[in-house]
Amino acid sequence: SQTIHQWPATLVQPVGSPLSLECTVEGTSNPNLYWYRQAAGRGLQLLFYSVGIGQISSEVPQNLSASRPQDRQFILSSKKLLLSDSGFYLCAWSRWASTNVLTFGAGSRLTVL
Amino acid sequence: DAKTTQPPSMDCAEGRAANLPCNHSTISGNEYVYWYRQIHSQGPQYIIHGLKNNETNEMASLIITEDRKSSTLILPHATLRDTAVYYCIAGYNNNDMRFGAGTRLTVKP
């Protein structure tokens, strides 16, 4: 069976510090991978998606970046965090298929102080 | 992806059916309708999806109108654990699934 892991689960970082959130998927190959962000009390905002190693599409211009160094690994990074980067970050994966069902990880809650 | 509109909130009595509507009037012929839900502080969970025909699984039923411009998610016997935000999405094999604000369903005892 397929599983998705995200870490860390909770993170408190000062403004201006770097960020690295990691997501890995097990039990499948060549998944589509996604990063979403959810600010407090808000809906989900798609940040990045990837259809393969090294292939990243960005949805929102911001100080975040994503990388996919391996087939089942997706990393969200920032060089300098802003207060507005606080939120709940969710990684998700889907198969290549005619229907695009997403499976989400448990999320990483980031607080920037 | 087609834009969807949902009511911001709904209430339902425990044990009764919860009917959550979604409008997707600009949906194209090959776009599916997906439903997810998000329980507080967790990642969204897939519920069901469909193209033209009504669908049913162990969690819910999906009713799609004949013109495909709207759909309804039905939870046949809502429980307190069904309290969540429900998202309706319309799209086709896209690599960019976009979630709107959803409907906050509150199941009351």
PDB file of all heavy atoms in Angstrom, chain A residues 68-92:
ATOM      1  N   ARG A  68      12.479  18.542  -6.258  1.00  0.00           N
ATOM      2  CA  ARG A  68      12.162  17.108  -6.289  1.00  0.00           C
ATOM      3  C   ARG A  68      13.438  16.382  -6.689  1.00  0.00           C
ATOM      4  O   ARG A  68      13.655  16.059  -7.849  1.00  0.00           O
ATOM      5  CB  ARG A  68      11.043  16.829  -7.274  1.00  0.00           C
ATOM      6  CG  ARG A  68      10.589  15.368  -7.278  1.00  0.00           C
ATOM      7  CD  ARG A  68       9.322  15.200  -8.083  1.00  0.00           C
ATOM      8  NE  ARG A  68       8.925  13.799  -8.158  1.00  0.00           N
ATOM      9  CZ  ARG A  68       7.775  13.395  -8.685  1.00  0.00           C
ATOM     10  NH1 ARG A  68       6.896  14.275  -9.171  1.00  0.00           N
ATOM     11  NH2 ARG A  68       7.484  12.110  -8.722  1.00  0.00           N
ATOM     12  N   PRO A  69      14.304  16.134  -5.728  1.00  0.00           N
ATOM     13  CA  PRO A  69      15.594  15.508  -6.041  1.00  0.00           C
ATOM     14  C   PRO A  69      15.489  14.023  -6.369  1.00  0.00           C
ATOM     15  O   PRO A  69      16.355  13.494  -7.075  1.00  0.00           O
ATOM     16  CB  PRO A  69      16.397  15.722  -4.756  1.00  0.00           C
ATOM     17  CG  PRO A  69      15.350  15.859  -3.683  1.00  0.00           C
ATOM     18  CD  PRO A  69      14.182  16.510  -4.324  1.00  0.00           C
ATOM     19  N   GLN A  70      14.453  13.371  -5.877  1.00  0.00           N
ATOM     20  CA  GLN A  70      14.231  11.957  -6.171  1.00  0.00           C
ATOM     21  C   GLN A  70      12.767  11.746  -6.556  1.00  0.00           C
ATOM     22  O   GLN A  70      11.913  12.609  -6.301  1.00  0.00           O
ATOM     23  CB  GLN A  70      14.570  11.095  -4.948  1.00  0.00           C
ATOM     24  CG  GLN A  70      16.009  11.210  -4.489  1.00  0.00           C
ATOM     25  CD  GLN A  70      16.293  10.323  -3.300  1.00  0.00           C
ATOM     26  OE1 GLN A  70      15.882   9.161  -3.273  1.00  0.00           O
ATOM     27  NE2 GLN A  70      17.002  10.850  -2.317  1.00  0.00           N
ATOM     28  N   ASP A  71      12.486  10.607  -7.126  1.00  0.00           N
ATOM     29  CA  ASP A  71      11.152  10.353  -7.665  1.00  0.00           C
ATOM     30  C   ASP A  71      10.046  10.543  -6.636  1.00  0.00           C
ATOM     31  O   ASP A  71       8.969  11.068  -6.952  1.00  0.00           O
ATOM     32  CB  ASP A  71      11.097   8.927  -8.235  1.00  0.00           C
ATOM     33  CG  ASP A  71       9.748   8.592  -8.838  1.00  0.00           C
ATOM     34  OD1 ASP A  71       9.207   9.451  -9.581  1.00  0.00           O
ATOM     35  OD2 ASP A  71       9.226   7.496  -8.594  1.00  0.00           O
ATOM     36  N   ARG A  72      10.293  10.109  -5.403  1.00  0.00           N
ATOM     37  CA  ARG A  72       9.241  10.127  -4.407  1.00  0.00           C
ATOM     38  C   ARG A  72       9.528  11.088  -3.258  1.00  0.00           C
ATOM     39  O   ARG A  72       9.028  10.922  -2.152  1.00  0.00           O
ATOM     40  CB  ARG A  72       9.030   8.701  -3.875  1.00  0.00           C
ATOM     41  CG  ARG A  72       8.441   7.759  -4.918  1.00  0.00           C
ATOM     42  CD  ARG A  72       8.496   6.318  -4.469  1.00  0.00           C
ATOM     43  NE  ARG A  72       9.872   5.833  -4.399  1.00  0.00           N
ATOM     44  CZ  ARG A  72      10.214   4.677  -3.848  1.00  0.00           C
ATOM     45  NH1 ARG A  72       9.301   3.903  -3.288  1.00  0.00           N
ATOM     46  NH2 ARG A  72      11.468   4.295  -3.834  1.00  0.00           N
ATOM     47  N   GLN A  73      10.335  12.089  -3.511  1.00  0.00           N
ATOM     48  CA  GLN A  73      10.704  13.053  -2.491  1.00  0.00           C
ATOM     49  C   GLN A  73      10.414  14.463  -2.995  1.00  0.00           C
ATOM     50  O   GLN A  73      10.808  14.833  -4.108  1.00  0.00           O
ATOM     51  CB  GLN A  73      12.197  12.906  -2.157  1.00  0.00           C
ATOM     52  CG  GLN A  73      12.666  13.812  -1.040  1.00  0.00           C
ATOM     53  CD  GLN A  73      14.173  13.713  -0.825  1.00  0.00           C
ATOM     54  OE1 GLN A  73      14.923  13.450  -1.761  1.00  0.00           O
ATOM     55  NE2 GLN A  73      14.606  13.926   0.406  1.00  0.00           N
ATOM     56  N   PHE A  74       9.741  15.244  -2.152  1.00  0.00           N
ATOM     57  CA  PHE A  74       9.365  16.600  -2.520  1.00  0.00           C
ATOM     58  C   PHE A  74       9.707  17.497  -1.342  1.00  0.00           C
ATOM     59  O   PHE A  74       9.300  17.213  -0.213  1.00  0.00           O
ATOM     60  CB  PHE A  74       7.859  16.649  -2.823  1.00  0.00           C
ATOM     61  CG  PHE A  74       7.427  17.740  -3.750  1.00  0.00           C
ATOM     62  CD1 PHE A  74       8.301  18.323  -4.659  1.00  0.00           C
ATOM     63  CD2 PHE A  74       6.116  18.172  -3.757  1.00  0.00           C
ATOM     64  CE1 PHE A  74       7.883  19.302  -5.537  1.00  0.00           C
ATOM     65  CE2 PHE A  74       5.679  19.158  -4.626  1.00  0.00           C
ATOM     66  CZ  PHE A  74       6.571  19.724  -5.518  1.00  0.00           C
ATOM     67  N   ILE A  75      10.462  18.557  -1.596  1.00  0.00           N
ATOM     68  CA  ILE A  75      10.957  19.410  -0.527  1.00  0.00           C
ATOM     69  C   ILE A  75      10.486  20.835  -0.745  1.00  0.00           C
ATOM     70  O   ILE A  75      10.555  21.353  -1.872  1.00  0.00           O
ATOM     71  CB  ILE A  75      12.497  19.364  -0.460  1.00  0.00           C
ATOM     72  CG1 ILE A  75      12.956  17.937  -0.127  1.00  0.00           C
ATOM     73  CG2 ILE A  75      13.021  20.347   0.588  1.00  0.00           C
ATOM     74  CD1 ILE A  75      14.446  17.733  -0.224  1.00  0.00           C
ATOM     75  N   LEU A  76       9.998  21.457   0.308  1.00  0.00           N
ATOM     76  CA  LEU A  76       9.594  22.865   0.278  1.00  0.00           C
ATOM     77  C   LEU A  76      10.606  23.662   1.086  1.00  0.00           C
ATOM     78  O   LEU A  76      10.927  23.284   2.216  1.00  0.00           O
ATOM     79  CB  LEU A  76       8.196  23.029   0.872  1.00  0.00           C
ATOM     80  CG  LEU A  76       7.610  24.442   0.846  1.00  0.00           C
ATOM     81  CD1 LEU A  76       7.269  24.847  -0.584  1.00  0.00           C
ATOM     82  CD2 LEU A  76       6.365  24.522   1.717  1.00  0.00           C
ATOM     83  N   SER A  77      11.107  24.741   0.509  1.00  0.00           N
ATOM     84  CA  SER A  77      12.178  25.487   1.159  1.00  0.00           C
ATOM     85  C   SER A  77      11.926  26.986   1.103  1.00  0.00           C
ATOM     86  O   SER A  77      11.151  27.479   0.279  1.00  0.00           O
ATOM     87  CB  SER A  77      13.515  25.211   0.450  1.00  0.00           C
ATOM     88  OG  SER A  77      13.812  23.843   0.430  1.00  0.00           O
ATOM     89  N   SER A  78      12.620  27.669   2.007  1.00  0.00           N
ATOM     90  CA  SER A  78      12.687  29.118   1.958  1.00  0.00           C
ATOM     91  C   SER A  78      14.047  29.540   2.499  1.00  0.00           C
ATOM     92  O   SER A  78      14.562  28.929   3.425  1.00  0.00           O
ATOM     93  CB  SER A  78      11.583  29.748   2.791  1.00  0.00           C
ATOM     94  OG  SER A  78      11.747  31.161   2.843  1.00  0.00           O
ATOM     95  N   LYS A  79      14.598  30.589   1.928  1.00  0.00           N
ATOM     96  CA  LYS A  79      15.881  31.098   2.424  1.00  0.00           C
ATOM     97  C   LYS A  79      15.667  32.035   3.607  1.00  0.00           C
ATOM     98  O   LYS A  79      16.464  32.074   4.544  1.00  0.00           O
ATOM     99  CB  LYS A  79      16.627  31.822   1.314  1.00  0.00           C
ATOM    100  CG  LYS A  79      17.085  30.917   0.200  1.00  0.00           C
ATOM    101  CD  LYS A  79      17.851  31.694  -0.864  1.00  0.00           C
ATOM    102  CE  LYS A  79      18.325  30.751  -1.960  1.00  0.00           C
ATOM    103  NZ  LYS A  79      19.046  31.489  -3.044  1.00  0.00           N
ATOM    104  N   LYS A  80      14.556  32.796   3.559  1.00  0.00           N
ATOM    105  CA  LYS A  80      14.258  33.742   4.639  1.00  0.00           C
ATOM    106  C   LYS A  80      12.758  33.789   4.864  1.00  0.00           C
ATOM    107  O   LYS A  80      12.016  34.311   4.028  1.00  0.00           O
ATOM    108  CB  LYS A  80      14.759  35.143   4.292  1.00  0.00           C
ATOM    109  CG  LYS A  80      16.255  35.314   4.324  1.00  0.00           C
ATOM    110  CD  LYS A  80      16.636  36.772   4.102  1.00  0.00           C
ATOM    111  CE  LYS A  80      18.144  36.971   4.191  1.00  0.00           C
ATOM    112  NZ  LYS A  80      18.526  38.397   4.021  1.00  0.00           N
ATOM    113  N   LEU A  81      12.296  33.290   5.986  1.00  0.00           N
ATOM    114  CA  LEU A  81      10.870  33.235   6.268  1.00  0.00           C
ATOM    115  C   LEU A  81      10.298  34.611   6.600  1.00  0.00           C
ATOM    116  O   LEU A  81      10.958  35.453   7.225  1.00  0.00           O
ATOM    117  CB  LEU A  81      10.596  32.288   7.430  1.00  0.00           C
ATOM    118  CG  LEU A  81      10.697  30.795   7.118  1.00  0.00           C
ATOM    119  CD1 LEU A  81      10.689  29.985   8.394  1.00  0.00           C
ATOM    120  CD2 LEU A  81       9.549  30.367   6.202  1.00  0.00           C
ATOM    121  N   LEU A  82       9.046  34.807   6.195  1.00  0.00           N
ATOM    122  CA  LEU A  82       8.271  35.989   6.529  1.00  0.00           C
ATOM    123  C   LEU A  82       7.171  35.591   7.506  1.00  0.00           C
ATOM    124  O   LEU A  82       6.776  34.415   7.578  1.00  0.00           O
ATOM    125  CB  LEU A  82       7.631  36.582   5.265  1.00  0.00           C
ATOM    126  CG  LEU A  82       8.556  36.889   4.100  1.00  0.00           C
ATOM    127  CD1 LEU A  82       7.731  37.295   2.884  1.00  0.00           C
ATOM    128  CD2 LEU A  82       9.551  37.975   4.471  1.00  0.00           C
ATOM    129  N   LEU A  83       6.641  36.580   8.221  1.00  0.00           N
ATOM    130  CA  LEU A  83       5.522  36.290   9.122  1.00  0.00           C
ATOM    131  C   LEU A  83       4.363  35.657   8.357  1.00  0.00           C
ATOM    132  O   LEU A  83       3.682  34.759   8.860  1.00  0.00           O
ATOM    133  CB  LEU A  83       5.051  37.564   9.817  1.00  0.00           C
ATOM    134  CG  LEU A  83       5.955  38.142  10.898  1.00  0.00           C
ATOM    135  CD1 LEU A  83       5.405  39.477  11.378  1.00  0.00           C
ATOM    136  CD2 LEU A  83       6.089  37.171  12.068  1.00  0.00           C
ATOM    137  N   SER A  84       4.149  36.122   7.140  1.00  0.00           N
ATOM    138  CA  SER A  84       3.027  35.646   6.323  1.00  0.00           C
ATOM    139  C   SER A  84       3.202  34.203   5.855  1.00  0.00           C
ATOM    140  O   SER A  84       2.283  33.634   5.270  1.00  0.00           O
ATOM    141  CB  SER A  84       2.836  36.552   5.110  1.00  0.00           C
ATOM    142  OG  SER A  84       4.023  36.598   4.341  1.00  0.00           O
ATOM    143  N   ASP A  85       4.359  33.621   6.100  1.00  0.00           N
ATOM    144  CA  ASP A  85       4.568  32.221   5.726  1.00  0.00           C
ATOM    145  C   ASP A  85       3.977  31.247   6.744  1.00  0.00           C
ATOM    146  O   ASP A  85       3.936  30.039   6.501  1.00  0.00           O
ATOM    147  CB  ASP A  85       6.061  31.929   5.560  1.00  0.00           C
ATOM    148  CG  ASP A  85       6.653  32.622   4.347  1.00  0.00           C
ATOM    149  OD1 ASP A  85       5.946  32.720   3.322  1.00  0.00           O
ATOM    150  OD2 ASP A  85       7.813  33.064   4.432  1.00  0.00           O
ATOM    151  N   SER A  86       3.522  31.765   7.872  1.00  0.00           N
ATOM    152  CA  SER A  86       2.885  30.894   8.868  1.00  0.00           C
ATOM    153  C   SER A  86       1.673  30.205   8.268  1.00  0.00           C
ATOM    154  O   SER A  86       0.924  30.805   7.495  1.00  0.00           O
ATOM    155  CB  SER A  86       2.450  31.715  10.080  1.00  0.00           C
ATOM    156  OG  SER A  86       3.557  32.211  10.790  1.00  0.00           O
ATOM    157  N   GLY A  87       1.491  28.942   8.638  1.00  0.00           N
ATOM    158  CA  GLY A  87       0.335  28.218   8.127  1.00  0.00           C
ATOM    159  C   GLY A  87       0.523  26.725   8.239  1.00  0.00           C
ATOM    160  O   GLY A  87       1.500  26.238   8.818  1.00  0.00           O
ATOM    161  N   PHE A  88      -0.431  26.029   7.662  1.00  0.00           N
ATOM    162  CA  PHE A  88      -0.455  24.571   7.673  1.00  0.00           C
ATOM    163  C   PHE A  88      -0.075  24.117   6.268  1.00  0.00           C
ATOM    164  O   PHE A  88      -0.779  24.420   5.304  1.00  0.00           O
ATOM    165  CB  PHE A  88      -1.867  24.123   8.057  1.00  0.00           C
ATOM    166  CG  PHE A  88      -2.026  22.661   8.370  1.00  0.00           C
ATOM    167  CD1 PHE A  88      -1.084  21.982   9.127  1.00  0.00           C
ATOM    168  CD2 PHE A  88      -3.128  21.957   7.916  1.00  0.00           C
ATOM    169  CE1 PHE A  88      -1.241  20.643   9.434  1.00  0.00           C
ATOM    170  CE2 PHE A  88      -3.300  20.614   8.225  1.00  0.00           C
ATOM    171  CZ  PHE A  88      -2.351  19.952   8.978  1.00  0.00           C
ATOM    172  N   TYR A  89       1.045  23.422   6.155  1.00  0.00           N
ATOM    173  CA  TYR A  89       1.563  23.005   4.858  1.00  0.00           C
ATOM    174  C   TYR A  89       1.254  21.530   4.630  1.00  0.00           C
ATOM    175  O   TYR A  89       1.566  20.686   5.467  1.00  0.00           O
ATOM    176  CB  TYR A  89       3.074  23.259   4.781  1.00  0.00           C
ATOM    177  CG  TYR A  89       3.397  24.723   4.666  1.00  0.00           C
ATOM    178  CD1 TYR A  89       3.436  25.532   5.803  1.00  0.00           C
ATOM    179  CD2 TYR A  89       3.639  25.313   3.429  1.00  0.00           C
ATOM    180  CE1 TYR A  89       3.698  26.884   5.714  1.00  0.00           C
ATOM    181  CE2 TYR A  89       3.913  26.670   3.330  1.00  0.00           C
ATOM    182  CZ  TYR A  89       3.939  27.438   4.471  1.00  0.00           C
ATOM    183  OH  TYR A  89       4.201  28.782   4.369  1.00  0.00           O
ATOM    184  N   LEU A  90       0.671  21.283   3.496  1.00  0.00           N
ATOM    185  CA  LEU A  90       0.229  19.923   3.183  1.00  0.00           C
ATOM    186  C   LEU A  90       0.885  19.441   1.900  1.00  0.00           C
ATOM    187  O   LEU A  90       0.875  20.131   0.884  1.00  0.00           O
ATOM    188  CB  LEU A  90      -1.284  19.884   3.023  1.00  0.00           C
ATOM    189  CG  LEU A  90      -2.069  20.066   4.315  1.00  0.00           C
ATOM    190  CD1 LEU A  90      -3.434  20.670   4.035  1.00  0.00           C
ATOM    191  CD2 LEU A  90      -2.227  18.736   5.032  1.00  0.00           C
ATOM    192  N   CYS A  91       1.416  18.249   1.968  1.00  0.00           N
ATOM    193  CA  CYS A  91       1.947  17.567   0.787  1.00  0.00           C
ATOM    194  C   CYS A  91       0.899  16.553   0.332  1.00  0.00           C
ATOM    195  O   CYS A  91       0.189  15.964   1.164  1.00  0.00           O
ATOM    196  CB  CYS A  91       3.255  16.870   1.139  1.00  0.00           C
ATOM    197  SG  CYS A  91       4.025  15.984  -0.231  1.00  0.00           S
ATOM    198  N   ALA A  92       0.805  16.342  -0.952  1.00  0.00           N
ATOM    199  CA  ALA A  92      -0.142  15.363  -1.482  1.00  0.00           C
ATOM    200  C   ALA A  92       0.467  14.677  -2.699  1.00  0.00           C
ATOM    201  O   ALA A  92       1.377  15.212  -3.342  1.00  0.00           O
ATOM    202  CB  ALA A  92      -1.462  16.032  -1.857  1.00  0.00           C
TER     203      ALA A  92
END
